[in-house]
Amino acid sequence: DIQMTQSPSTLSASVGDRVTITCRASQSISAWLAWYQQRPGKAPDLLIYKASTLKSGVPSRFSGSGSGTEFTLTISSLQPDDFATYYCLQYNTYPNTFGQGTKLEIK
Amino acid sequence: EVQLLESGGGLVQPGGSLRLSCAASGFTFNNYAMSWVRQAPGKGLEWVSTITGSGGGTFYADSVRGRFTISRDNSKNTLYLQMNSLRAEDTAVHYCVRLRGTPNSAFDIWGQGTLVTVSS
């Protein structure tokens, strides 16, 4: 199975900050990676797929990059609504696997 | 509007069975692969199973293979998950998820989830 390792597990930041979350795959997954945002008590929302394609309707302050085994999610200027938990997902191979999550907290 | 509405969760004893349903609306159901993804209390996300749009292909996580069966009724726009031989570690919110298209695509639209609790 492909292991997805996210870092950091927790990130403290302030409104207006630029933040980056990293996801590493245990083997190459080409660009078959997605990023999700999950608020407490809610279902996850798709932000980015195919590593860097922004889903329609998602604010442009979110961006993704990477290919192969290393990927990043960047939020260019944090807004209050962005404090949530973020997950990466590889869908290159079954079983599909998620990273363990990054909780983005208000500093 | 695309909507997924799960039902069928609840409290069940270890070794028991439960069938989850997911009613889909707002899109052409048989054009999309569908999945179940779960989340144990306070934990991360775990993919459980995926089925192709026609229903002819299925995929399972090792943790549920042989115990869970995914199926769909395209005439009723409904996805199912039959869960047998349930264990305490199956306790989780179970989400019905639409993929962007084929089975090799990202999870796109999520239902609100239904809680399955396995406990005596």
Side-chain angles (χ1 to χ4, degrees):
Chain A
D1 297 0
I2 297 175
Q3 309 303 317
M4 303 301 294
T5 304
Q6 261 182 261
S7 60
S9 297
T10 306
L11 180 55
S12 295
S14 302
V15 172
D17 284 354
R18 177 185 180 92
V19 298
T20 297
I21 299 169
T22 297
C23 197
R24 289 187 174 88
S26 59
Q27 63 190 75
S28 177
I29 57 170
S30 185
W32 303 117
L33 183 109
W35 290 98
Y36 297 86
Q37 177 192 68
Q38 186 177 32
R39 297 191 178 94
K42 300 295 186 182
D45 288 318
L46 175 63
L47 299 173
I48 288 168
Y49 61 96
K50 210 171 179 183
S52 60
T53 302
L54 199 66
K55 180 178 177 177
S56 176
V58 173
S60 59
R61 63 181 180 273
F62 291 92
S63 64
S65 65
S67 67
T69 61
E70 187 147 342
F71 302 85
T72 59
L73 170 71
T74 299
I75 310 172
S76 60
S77 178
L78 277 173
Q79 299 302 301
D81 221 21
D82 300 338
F83 292 94
T85 300
Y86 294 84
Y87 294 93
C88 62
L89 164 74
Q90 72 79 17
Y91 53 97
N92 178 73
T93 307
Y94 282 101
N96 295 160
T97 43
F98 289 90
Q100 79 276 17
T102 295
K103 186 174 183 180
L104 182 50
E105 298 180 329
I106 300 175
K107 187 185 286 184
Chain B
E1 181 191 3
V2 174
Q3 279 197 322
L4 299 171
L5 187 62
E6 301 98 334
S7 60
L11 175 63
V12 61
Q13 292 189 338
S17 298
L18 215 53
R19 188 176 85 154
L20 306 183
S21 299
C22 171
S25 59
F27 64 100
T28 304
F29 186 63
N30 61 9
N31 283 352
Y32 292 85
M34 299 290 296
S35 294
W36 289 96
V37 174
R38 67 185 182 183
Q39 187 169 36
K43 302 298 184 183
L45 300 166
E46 180 190 17
W47 169 77
V48 172
S49 183
T50 295
I51 188 167
T52 60
S54 66
T58 56
F59 307 84
Y60 295 95
D62 285 347
S63 58
V64 307
R65 185 176 291 111
R67 300 187 300 123
F68 291 10
T69 302
I70 191 171
S71 63
R72 62 194 297 160
D73 184 337
N74 286 344
S75 69
K76 294 182 178 179
N77 290 350
T78 302
L79 176 73
Y80 302 101
L81 186 68
Q82 177 67 42
M83 304 185 294
N84 298 331
S85 303
L86 282 160
R87 306 166 180 167
E89 54 264 36
D90 295 318
T91 294
V93 173
H94 286 68
Y95 294 103
C96 168
V97 186
R98 189 192 81 171
L99 279 65
R100 284 187 53 82
T102 68
N104 297 313
S105 54
F107 304 144
D108 186 7
I109 306 295
W110 298 61
Q112 86 289 348
T114 186
L115 177 62
V116 172
T117 303
V118 185
S119 175
S120 54

